[in-house]
Amino acid sequence: MEITVNDNAYTIDVEPEMPLLWVLRDELGITGPKYGCGIAQCGACTVHVNGYAMRSCQLAVGDLGNREVRTIEGLGTPDSMHIVQEAWIEHQVAQCGYCQSGQIMQAASLLSTNPNPSDEQIDAAMSGNLCRCGTYPRIRTAVKAAAKKLQGS
Amino acid sequence: MGRLRTITRRTFLIGSAAVAGGVVFGTYLAKRPIKNPLLADLQEGEAAITPYVKIDATGVTLITPRADKGQGAYTMQARLIAEELDIDPANANLTPGMPGPAYYNGAVMEEGVPFPAYDQSAMAENVRKFMHVPAKLFAMQMTGGSSTVPDGFVKMRMAGAIARETLKETAAQQNGVARDQLNTEDGYVVLPNGTRIPYTELASAAATIEPITDVQLRPKSDWRFLGKPTQRLDMPAKCTGTEKYGIDLTIEGMVHAAVRANPGIGAELKSFDAAAAESMRGVQKVLPIKNGVAVIADNTWRAWRAANAIDITWAAGPYPASTDEIFKQIEQVVDSEEHRDHRQRDEGDVKAALDDGDIFEAVYKVPYLAHAPMEPMNAIVLVTDEQCEIWTGTQIPLFVRDHAAELTGLDKDKVFVYVQPMGGSFGHKLEDTHVIQAVEIAMAIKGTAVKLVWSREEDMTHDYLRPGAIAKGRGKVVDGKVDTLDLSVGQSALMADWFGRLMGITIPGPDATITTGSWDQPFAIPNYRVTGYRAPTMVPISSWRSVGASGNGFFHDSLLDELIHKAGADPLAERIRLCLDDTSRKVLEKVGEISDWDGPSLGENRGRGVSFCLSFGVPCAIVTEVTHTEGRIKIDKVFVVVDVGEVLDPVNLEAQVFGGVIFGMAHAMNCETTFENHGAQQNNYHAFRGMRLYQVPEFEVVALSNAKKIRGIGEPGVPPSAPSLGNAIFAATGQRIRELPFNKQIDFV
Ligand code: FES
Ligand code: FES
């Protein structure tokens, strides 16, 4: 089976029902997407599939077809961050940080389709992403700050 | 600086020791120099200066032994050292170091208890007041009890200062200048003529001279990193997916494991049939382990899938089968003389006061709760005939080492624990059952590393929980004032449970965690009594963010709020009137000021509640505003005021405070762990929802600095959060909810 992750093509030999999350983490060593629940309740595993945020724990790799996967590693790097990541740093969002790959991928997906979301739209888009540390107030601020930057650029 | 010297002498000694190619010197945190873990892997030409600083030709390494579970401990520890060492922490290497006695928690040493010696700390109170501490506790490198800052505030800065002055002295001798003529700047010693000598060049020579231990800590006015808003050093990694948590590590040739242990925690495995599992793809081995079965496979998902395909018969759990039966036992002990554990507060004459008049009575209840940090328990273990290596996120590396040594039969110094960053803990990683399971599995495949990851379901059904508790409150008001407050709290003994599990000892005496957060509140009430009653040990329990105060904060403040309401007094004004501690009173006054408090009503369907709890030495007051809309509660805004003595990082402090309040409120809204057939019923986040972004209120946080002693802030936001929400719901709806979670009786937006 062939899959494309962060613009790289990989050949993998796994069961088609294996969740994308575990293909990424255990087969490809791409550990930015995190395991939190395995049942679509936390969003820690969020990646982009053809640009849209999806829960990689719910996506059987066999159903991926030729769609392209982007993980947080492919969104930006410490030396060249995505606008959302920059906002996250500026507002010092992360505590333990474990949920933040998912939060950032969710926010980036939101802003790519809706660069100027209302408070309600932010709430709606981000509420499937759990943060046990309670970083929410800064997530909200950072999403708004990133949106503002997008407007300006 | 007189006070500093006293603290210094009492809590640690300065010493030095020669090693090959250099010397190690600095703050030995013991009454005698003890074995230094840095010596083990020192290379020729390297010098290690203090257990917190290591300098070699390649750079400066700051050792930050307190675990980071999300609270920013690495950054804080690095800044404490760097402030005196004169180095930008961003240019230094950070490492948690190897666990070793030199890193034990100094607050432990100070009073000979395994927890920080705060007056109000649940753990410390318990142990200090009531039990004899076994000698082996004296070397605990543990993270907990909001202790990282209080523990490191003096000693880590001292380490930095000693290293700096010794480097200066080295440069002084080499250049024939007096030390006081020299300056330091970002990793360089600067000579009077402007020449800059990097610390790295001075390192090996610094190892050959007597360490300069007569140092003064810099006054606050000179601080560069502390007290200023700065950025956490781990932030870029955590925002780019490049932070490596324990669960992300791989070791060459590693295999993966899953376990299923008896849902009746602690009970045995009776029998199992693994035929189906063994034939599944990738499965290498199925083996029985203590109280369960393990599967070894070539990836996590295959291991889990195979584990779920095993047919298992379990022995019944060693405690009552259901939540109802468990709480029945707790209910029976409350106010039963036979089960009275302690009464640490007894002022006035409560008995006489409650003998006549209009007596208020109410019963409160809090549930058992899982920790459920986002990163589930995991560990990588490699066992050979010679040694055992362990990679895991843990708050108790020395217990992990000792338990692994015991199980493998290896000497303790042949067990190496590499502490990893943690994706949350909240007290979960004060336990090591999962690590010991991984060691057991690794022993069956010696020479191959194995990574064990608990599934979310395994994690949430094998947690050692926050204990459930029941409290009976009584009281009386006289002339519009609170006159009598009597609180009886019943719960199992948390410390006894934890010590028993980790140390295999039965600790004698009372367990103060039963009333921590209620008996120790800074109020003067004419007749005031708090009594703890001890329920039998049932489901295993442990420390959960804010420990005893997590339930007691709710009990005490809810009861006080009800009595104030009965008295017809203003909730804030009466708390202020009753308050006997200056620092606490100012916190209450400040929360009134920033919330524009003028009573609990905010108009139609709106209301606000105030609450207060002093925990871990930190007074914390909260005002919560809510709206009752279409039968649902919406939390609008939360004002929080704390006093930590000295704010070392205002940005991180704010995050810890609102994070703690959200943590407390989220569980109060909708979380509980219940039991049926001995097993925990809530096995994933769908049944343990917590707070989601759309429910999160606006926050305003203020930190005061009136307190004399510096305190940590990881926990104190939790205890007053549930009662402030409960008091606000009462103000908005007239409905007083005395049992958590609130959503059993009212819906939230
Ligand atoms: S791990 Fe996929 S949503 Fe939780
Ligand atoms: S930062 Fe810890 S779970 Fe979100």
Side-chain angles (χ1 to χ4, degrees):
Chain A
M1 202 184 301
E2 296 249 320
I3 65 170
T4 308
V5 183
N6 301 332
D7 305 321
N8 297 318
Y10 297 91
T11 305
I12 47 171
D13 171 24
V14 298
E15 301 84 327
E17 67 268 31
M18 186 162 166
L20 174 62
L21 173 65
W22 293 108
V23 174
L24 293 170
R25 292 183 54 83
D26 281 358
E27 299 293 320
L28 306 182
I30 298 171
T31 55
K34 301 294 187 229
Y35 166 77
C37 70
I39 59 164
Q41 290 293 313
C42 76
C45 63
T46 304
V47 299
H48 294 174
V49 176
N50 275 4
Y52 292 101
M54 291 192 76
R55 308 292 184 235
S56 64
C57 71
Q58 295 302 298
L59 192 65
V61 68
D63 293 342
L64 195 60
N66 55 10
R67 287 178 286 173
E68 294 197 355
V69 177
R70 189 162 300 282
T71 70
I72 184 139
E73 289 93 338
L75 187 74
T77 62
D79 297 327
S80 161
M81 290 195 204
H82 186 272
I83 229 167
V84 170
Q85 291 169 312
E86 281 170 3
W88 245 246
I89 307 274
E90 192 182 327
H91 293 281
Q92 295 285 293
V93 175
Q95 289 186 29
C96 84
Y98 194 80
C99 72
Q100 301 296 344
S101 298
Q103 306 277 6
I104 288 168
M105 293 307 276
Q106 188 71 37
S109 164
L110 165 69
L111 294 179
S112 73
T113 51
N114 179 359
N116 190 16
S118 65
D119 286 7
E120 289 70 31
Q121 288 168 326
I122 294 174
D123 279 358
M126 300 298 299
S127 282
N129 288 75
L130 179 66
C131 175
R132 292 282 295 161
C133 296
T135 62
Y136 300 116
R138 289 189 183 168
I139 289 177
R140 205 177 255 158
T141 313
V143 172
K144 287 184 191 171
K148 212 171 193 173
K149 264 199 198 163
L150 279 174
Q151 307 301 304
S153 63
Chain B
M1 290 291 126
R3 197 167 148 258
L4 167 68
R5 299 216 169 278
T6 327
I7 295 168
T8 307
R9 285 232 176 77
R10 203 174 70 231
T11 56
F12 50 80
L13 296 180
I14 312 292
S16 66
V19 291
V23 65
V24 174
F25 55 118
T27 54
Y28 286 89
L29 318 170
K31 295 186 171 111
R32 60 189 168 77
I34 59 175
K35 205 177 158 200
N36 192 304
L38 282 182
L39 302 188
D41 59 348
L42 265 189
Q43 303 296 315
E44 194 66 30
E46 280 186 340
I49 303 174
T50 85
Y52 297 106
V53 183
K54 180 171 145 180
I55 304 176
D56 62 20
T58 64
V60 176
T61 303
L62 307 180
I63 295 113
T64 60
R66 296 283 160 268
D68 206 310
K69 44 202 198 282
Q71 81 282 42
Y74 284 159
T75 301
M76 179 54 71
Q77 294 171 91
R79 284 209 188 107
L80 285 166
I81 305 169
E83 187 66 74
E84 292 288 340
L85 180 57
D86 268 340
I87 180 150
D88 185 340
N91 297 332
N93 307 310
L94 297 196
T95 168
M98 292 289 295
Y103 295 127
Y104 52 82
N105 199 321
V108 173
M109 290 307 294
E110 198 165 326
E111 306 223 8
V113 296
F115 296 95
Y118 312 148
D119 294 342
Q120 288 81 11
S121 152
M123 302 177 180
E125 276 302 324
N126 184 50
V127 179
R128 189 172 63 225
K129 291 210 164 180
F130 303 127
M131 66 174 264
H132 301 286
V133 182
K136 63 174 164 172
L137 277 185
F138 276 84
M140 285 178 72
Q141 175 190 353
M142 67 163 288
T143 308
S146 293
S147 70
T148 300
V149 164
D151 175 63
F153 183 56
V154 172
K155 116 189 149 187
M156 301 194 92
R157 285 185 301 149
M158 285 291 282
I162 289 165
R164 180 195 71 224
E165 288 306 310
T166 306
L167 289 162
K168 275 167 70 181
E169 179 61 26
T170 308
Q173 291 181 12
Q174 285 178 356
N175 292 281
V177 209
R179 176 159 53 96
D180 61 10
Q181 301 289 300
L182 304 183
N183 281 315
T184 48
E185 221 179 81
D186 274 342
Y188 292 86
V189 174
V190 185
L191 301 184
N193 65 9
T195 308
R196 291 154 62 86
I197 312 171
Y199 288 174
T200 47
E201 270 177 27
L202 295 165
S204 35
T208 64
I209 67 166
E210 275 292 301
I212 307 299
T213 56
D214 181 22
V215 295
Q216 301 253 319
L217 293 183
R218 291 178 170 159
K220 194 177 157 184
S221 51
D222 288 356
W223 286 351
R224 288 175 59 209
F225 305 115
L226 301 174
K228 310 259 177 345
T230 39
Q231 304 221 322
R232 269 173 68 157
L233 301 169
D234 52 358
M235 198 58 73
K238 285 179 173 176
C239 296
T240 51
T242 51
E243 176 85 328
K244 290 267 179 263
Y245 302 89
I247 199 171
D248 299 325
L249 285 188
T250 45
I251 299 298
E252 188 67 29
M254 169 183 101
V255 293
H256 297 259
V259 296
R260 275 177 65 200
N262 195 325
I265 301 168
E268 286 177 6
L269 166 75
K270 271 188 161 166
S271 63
F272 69 99
D273 175 359
E278 274 163 347
S279 66
M280 289 168 82
R281 179 169 171 189
V283 174
Q284 296 171 3
K285 203 180 178 84
V286 177
L287 67 155
I289 59 168
K290 190 182 175 203
N291 302 335
V293 187
V295 175
I296 299 170
D298 58 0
N299 73 37
T300 310
W301 177 72
R302 288 185 187 129
W304 285 355
R305 197 161 69 146
N308 286 332
I310 303 172
D311 203 8
I312 308 178
T313 313
W314 302 115
Y319 43 81
S322 73
T323 300
D324 281 356
E325 291 166 68
I326 290 167
F327 272 105
K328 208 164 279 163
Q329 298 232 20
I330 298 175
E331 202 180 339
Q332 276 166 12
V333 304
V334 183
D335 285 334
S336 141
E337 270 317 292
E338 190 195 330
H339 295 98
R340 182 163 135 187
D341 193 70
H342 59 270
R343 177 174 286 160
Q344 296 189 79
R345 187 156 209 158
D346 192 0
E347 285 153 21
D349 190 341
V350 170
K351 197 171 175 306
L354 294 179
D355 242 8
D356 66 353
D358 183 11
I359 307 305
F360 172 84
E361 278 186 273
V363 179
Y364 305 88
K365 190 173 163 185
V366 298
Y368 287 83
L369 285 171
H371 299 84
M374 294 282 286
E375 181 192 20
M377 294 296 214
N378 61 82
I380 299 176
V381 179
L382 173 58
V383 175
T384 63
D385 285 335
E386 291 75 42
Q387 63 177 42
C388 171
E389 290 181 281
I390 299 170
W391 294 260
T392 194
T394 180
Q395 294 175 254
I396 48 165
L398 291 180
F399 279 129
V400 168
R401 181 199 66 185
D402 292 359
H403 295 159
E406 208 174 301
L407 188 62
T408 55
L410 291 163
D411 287 343
K412 285 180 187 176
D413 62 5
K414 292 286 179 286
V415 178
F416 303 94
V417 182
Y418 313 110
V419 178
Q420 305 302 315
M422 284 171 255
S425 174
F426 317 119
H428 201 28
K429 289 160 188 171
L430 284 166
E431 307 285 345
D432 65 0
T433 304
H434 60 295
V435 188
I436 299 315
Q437 288 175 343
V439 172
E440 206 181 336
I441 299 164
M443 286 167 69
I445 48 167
K446 277 191 182 169
T448 302
V450 61
K451 179 193 216 171
L452 170 65
V453 179
W454 276 4
S455 66
R456 173 59 51 198
E457 288 78 10
E458 187 69 17
D459 192 291
M460 283 183 68
T461 55
H462 294 84
D463 193 359
Y464 302 114
L465 305 168
R466 193 284 296 273
I470 292 176
K472 291 192 179 160
R474 283 167 294 265
K476 197 161 98 174
V477 299
V478 173
D479 297 334
K481 294 176 180 138
V482 177
D483 169 80
T484 304
L485 187 154
D486 182 27
L487 187 68
S488 300
V489 184
Q491 143 190 324
S492 301
L494 184 160
M495 295 310 297
D497 217 57
W498 189 70
F499 273 99
R501 200 158 49 241
L502 285 187
M503 308 195 61
I505 53 165
T506 313
I507 57 168
D511 195 315
T513 60
I514 297 170
T515 60
T516 307
S518 59
W519 79 270
D520 48 4
Q521 297 306 298
F523 295 110
I525 297 171
N527 306 295
Y528 195 1
R529 186 169 78 177
V530 178
T531 315
Y533 297 89
R534 184 173 184 144
T537 301
M538 293 182 279
V539 289
I541 50 177
S542 184
S543 292
W544 185 91
R545 195 172 186 178
S546 82
V547 201
S550 68
N552 278 291
F554 176 67
F555 295 151
H556 186 275
D557 192 83
S558 298
L559 174 59
L560 182 59
D561 202 65
E562 294 211 60
L563 292 172
I564 292 174
H565 178 72
K566 201 170 149 57
D570 176 80
L572 179 62
E574 182 68 353
R575 278 177 179 80
I576 291 172
R577 187 187 71 81
L578 292 170
C579 186
L580 50 70
D581 168 51
D582 235 27
T583 310
S584 300
R585 190 180 316 107
K586 286 178 183 145
V587 163
L588 280 162
E589 285 165 357
K590 189 75 187 174
V591 85
E593 187 189 313
I594 63 170
S595 65
D596 284 326
W597 180 272
D598 63 352
S601 174
L602 286 170
E604 186 86 5
N605 290 326
R606 295 200 68 225
R608 59 183 160 193
V610 59
S611 69
F612 176 90
C613 188
L614 173 69
S615 66
F616 302 90
V618 177
C620 177
I622 303 181
V623 167
T624 297
E625 300 180 351
V626 303
T627 302
H628 192 218
T629 149
E630 292 165 13
R632 289 165 182 272
I633 293 293
K634 179 177 181 309
I635 310 172
D636 299 316
K637 180 142 193 194
V638 175
F639 303 86
V640 196
V641 180
V642 295
D643 193 319
V644 291
E646 187 77 67
V647 179
L648 296 181
D649 182 345
V651 180
N652 196 43
L653 176 134
E654 186 200 56
Q656 287 301 304
V657 170
F658 69 62
V661 173
I662 288 172
F663 191 80
M665 280 193 188
H667 291 91
M669 282 165 62
N670 59 33
C671 294
E672 63 178 334
T673 300
T674 59
F675 283 80
E676 236 172 78
N677 297 324
H678 303 100
Q681 297 299 289
Q682 294 72 18
N683 67 2
N684 208 321
Y685 294 128
H686 67 287
F688 203 82
R689 286 188 54 77
M691 210 187 272
R692 303 295 175 136
L693 189 76
Y694 72 95
Q695 299 168 307
V696 174
E698 214 184 302
F699 272 90
E700 198 171 322
V701 176
V702 172
L704 302 176
S705 302
N706 297 313
K708 299 219 163 41
K709 209 169 163 184
I710 190 161
R711 304 289 188 175
I713 194 60
E715 299 174 272
V718 180
S721 55
S724 102
L725 180 53
N727 298 343
I729 292 172
F730 175 71
T733 66
Q735 185 183 357
R736 173 63 67 175
I737 306 180
R738 303 190 176 103
E739 179 179 347
L740 299 182
F742 291 126
N743 76 336
K744 285 179 152 178
Q745 294 171 62
I746 201 159
D747 291 332
F748 288 86
V749 161

